[in-house]
């Protein structure tokens, strides 16, 4: 190869490099994504569990929503007050104590309480059991199936099946909401930990049907509502519901409930 060929090769390589450089420069400007610095700082403070308990797809989506002002600085239920205050400092907001939340299983149906319509020998998960006739082998078609799928997805071992129904250890619960998503009967909800008085039943059946199916279900008698001094109890679809904004925690409902399904937690 003579000197002229070498010069030509070098010139060609330089030309290609120049073209690639121009293309990359244009691409960088066209496809550039502006990054919100606050979003990066907020994401660093989030616990990284990606549980979806905040209502977003994961911690990245939550951080973006907070940074854009579409979600409160206390959006992360897992982080609690400590994380909310750190994020508040990033966003320039004053943050007080954030009320802790926990998972609550709306069923009192223990093994002795609930009656059985048929035996089930299939895959031992709540999802499969709920696909059986009438969505449950038990006479109550609204209660806990007892196979512990919620316990399986819980990262903190806060849920265990005790006497045929799921029970939450509130000291371990971080309110991530994973249990809520997998329960086929929608029995689990996230509630403020301070709501000590709760209706532990979710049956919307009429009173007579409830009595025939379970010895510890709400029969819609409304005795609790009639005796509540603050009108804090209402009935929706045959089930008692407590309006915590009115509840004074007097305990009258617990005392008066004939089925003992309003309990103190």
């Amino acid at each position: 190869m003579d000197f002229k060929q070498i010069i030509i090769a070098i010139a060609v390589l330089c030309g290609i490099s120049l073209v690639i450089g121009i293309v990359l420069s244009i691409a960088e400007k066209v496809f550039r994504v502006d990054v919100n610095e606050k979003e990066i700082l907020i994401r660093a403070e989030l616990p990284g569990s990606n549980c979806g308990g905040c209502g977003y797809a994961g911690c990245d989506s939550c951080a973006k929503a907070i940074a854009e002002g579409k979600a409160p600085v206390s959006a992360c239920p897992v982080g609690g007050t400590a994380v909310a205050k750190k994020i508040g400092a990033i966003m320039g907001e004053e943050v007080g104590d954030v009320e802790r939340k926990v998972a609550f299983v709306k069923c009192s149906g223990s093994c002795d309480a609930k009656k059985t319509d048929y035996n089930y020998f299939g895959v031992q998960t709540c999802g499969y059991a709920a696909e059986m006739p009438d969505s449950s082998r038990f006479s109550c078609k609204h209660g806990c199936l007892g196979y512990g799928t919620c316990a399986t997805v819980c990262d903190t071992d806060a849920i265990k099946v005790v006497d045929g129904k799921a029970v939450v250890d509130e000291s371990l619960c971080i309110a991530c909401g994973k249990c809520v998503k997998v329960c086929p009967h929608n029995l689990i909800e996230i509630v403020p930990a301070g709501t000590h008085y709760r209706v532990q039943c979710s049956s919307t059946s009429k009173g007579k049907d409830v009595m025939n199916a379970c010895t510890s279900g709400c029969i819609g008698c409304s005795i609790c509502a009639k005796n509540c001094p603050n009108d804090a109890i209402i009935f929706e679809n045959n089930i008692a519901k407590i309006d915590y904004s009115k509840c004074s925690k007097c305990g009258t409902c617990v005392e008066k409930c004939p089925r003992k399904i309003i309990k103190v937690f």
Side-chain angles (χ1 to χ4, degrees), residues 33-241:
V33 177
D34 291 327
V35 178
N36 188 328
E37 185 178 350
K38 288 185 177 180
E39 180 183 333
I40 297 174
L41 294 173
I42 291 170
R43 179 62 185 86
E45 297 298 344
L46 293 174
S49 56
N50 291 307
C51 60
C54 57
Y56 292 91
C59 292
D60 289 345
S61 298
C62 181
K64 180 178 176 63
I66 295 173
E68 293 177 350
K70 296 178 180 179
V73 295
S74 59
C76 176
V78 178
T81 299
V83 169
K85 287 187 175 182
K86 290 179 180 178
I87 295 176
I90 295 170
M91 294 296 292
E93 296 181 21
E94 199 69 37
V95 180
D97 289 337
V98 177
E99 187 169 21
R100 183 170 173 267
K101 295 183 178 181
V102 294
F104 169 55
V105 182
K106 299 178 291 184
C107 180
S108 297
S110 61
C111 290
D112 293 336
K114 50 193 177 186
K115 300 176 183 179
T116 304
D117 287 343
Y118 58 86
N119 292 322
Y120 171 68
F121 300 103
V123 178
Q124 303 293 290
T125 67
C126 298
Y128 276 97
E131 294 296 324
M132 295 300 102
D134 296 323
S135 79
S136 176
R137 66 188 178 96
F138 299 110
S139 299
C140 175
K141 307 307 176 184
H142 307 274
C144 182
L145 291 160
Y147 293 105
T149 301
C150 53
T152 302
V153 301
C154 181
D155 294 329
T156 60
D157 294 325
I159 304 181
K160 298 192 182 303
V161 175
V162 180
D163 196 15
K165 67 182 182 69
V167 176
V168 178
D169 182 343
E170 295 188 6
S171 67
L172 298 176
C173 181
I174 58 175
C176 68
K178 290 183 178 180
C179 55
V180 177
K181 295 176 183 177
V182 299
C183 178
H185 282 178
N186 299 313
L187 282 178
I188 308 175
E189 66 179 357
I190 303 298
V191 300
T195 55
H196 298 300
Y197 296 86
R198 303 175 198 159
V199 180
Q200 199 171 21
C201 179
S202 62
S203 176
T204 57
S205 299
K206 294 182 178 179
K208 181 180 178 181
D209 295 329
V210 173
M211 294 183 73
N212 290 333
C214 179
T215 60
S216 62
C218 178
I219 57 175
C221 65
S222 74
I223 291 176
C224 55
K226 292 174 182 176
N227 285 275
C228 178
N230 302 299
D231 295 324
I233 301 180
I234 58 174
F235 276 81
E236 293 180 0
N237 297 322
N238 300 317
I239 187 78
K241 293 184 180 295

